[in-house]
Amino acid sequence: MNQPRILVVDDEPNIVDMVTTVLEFHGFEMTSAATATEALATARLHRPDLVVLDVMLPDGDGFDVCRTLRRTLPDLGIVFLTAKDTPSERIAGLTYGGDDYVTKPFNIEELLARVRAVLRRTMPGQAHTTEEAILRFADVELDEHACTVHRSGHPVSLSRTEFDLLRYLMINRGHVLSRSQIIDAVWSSHYTGGSNIVDTYIGYLRRKLGEFGPNLIQTQRGFGYVLREGSET
């Protein structure tokens, strides 16, 4: 069965990259657009099942895009993703035809849950993911369902935060992640402490994984961290 097609519309490349990377990993077919004009053209071409739609676009208003899409694709799922978070704007988004409304900064896991919930309503009976429960990188295996981690066959005991941090690094393997990206994904947008908490937990992970093999979590100086084999740069 074909997997749902999702269109991400946002003019911030880092948000498009993060949302696309995570949703692709969970089995969705992804396309993206950076403007209202491009969003409408891409929707006509690819006919997505759901749109993750920013409200403030360089050449128009996401509410107008939503209204236009509703006329041509009445069964389309629409999740607004925006920094506008007043009650009146939320009501406007739902009035114009949106199915849900997520505010920036956001937790990527929350967005994934909202996307799945909307698809359950708009595509009943459809299989929404092909994801495996086990993530693998090098000799590390992380079982999302059992919440366990093994390296070279050895169990690695992690706290919940360490587990979530490793999972995020594995989903984004090969991609350099800034401290702010990691905080938003692992600690959520409500965290108000310092960014050095990321360094602390990276240290915990390195020590625990390092008992059974070489370091896999590399520091990209001036940028952040990346899960990658080989020597650090």
Side-chain angles (χ1 to χ4, degrees), residues 180-194:
S180 61
Q181 285 178 304
I182 293 172
I183 286 173
D184 286 347
V186 177
W187 280 269
S188 87
S189 60
H190 304 295
Y191 176 77
T192 58

Side-chain angles (χ1 to χ4, degrees), residues 133 141-150 156-160 163-164:
E141 291 189 353
L142 181 150
D143 189 322
E144 295 187 272
H145 292 176
C147 295
T148 58
V149 173
H150 289 78
V156 181
S157 178
L158 300 180
S159 70
R160 180 71 213 195
F163 181 90
D164 290 344

Side-chain angles (χ1 to χ4, degrees), residues 165 198-208 217 225:
L165 175 57
V198 175
D199 306 325
T200 300
Y201 274 85
I202 289 289
Y204 294 158
L205 270 184
R206 281 174 167 165
R207 283 195 294 273
K208 291 184 177 182
I217 306 172
Y225 295 101

Side-chain angles (χ1 to χ4, degrees), residues 83-102:
K84 292 189 172 184
D85 61 354
T86 65
S88 62
E89 286 158 342
R90 287 174 176 267
I91 292 170
L94 299 177
T95 301
Y96 279 117
D99 296 288
D100 208 338
Y101 198 106
V102 178

Side-chain angles (χ1 to χ4, degrees), residues 36-135:
T37 302
E38 187 182 356
L40 295 173
T42 303
R44 284 194 297 269
L45 179 63
H46 294 283
R47 301 188 69 83
D49 300 299
L50 183 140
V51 176
V52 177
L53 179 60
D54 190 11
V55 171
M56 296 180 290
L57 296 169
D59 61 340
D61 189 304
F63 294 147
D64 292 332
V65 173
C66 174
R67 187 163 46 191
T68 301
L69 289 173
R70 273 279 172 258
R71 289 198 295 265
T72 56
L73 298 169
D75 296 327
L76 178 69
I78 297 177
V79 176
F80 284 110
L81 180 62
T82 178
K84 292 189 172 184
D85 61 354
T86 65
S88 62
E89 286 158 342
R90 287 174 176 267
I91 292 170
L94 299 177
T95 301
Y96 279 117
D99 296 288
D100 208 338
Y101 198 106
V102 178
T103 57
K104 299 176 183 177
F106 63 96
N107 183 301
I108 188 65
E109 297 295 337
E110 178 189 358
L111 177 62
L112 175 61
R114 300 287 188 94
V115 164
R116 285 174 167 163
V118 171
L119 287 171
R120 280 195 293 271
R121 297 196 299 268
T122 60
M123 302 177 66
Q126 169 68 293
H128 292 153
T129 64
T130 57
E131 66 200 270
E132 293 185 6
I134 297 178
L135 305 181

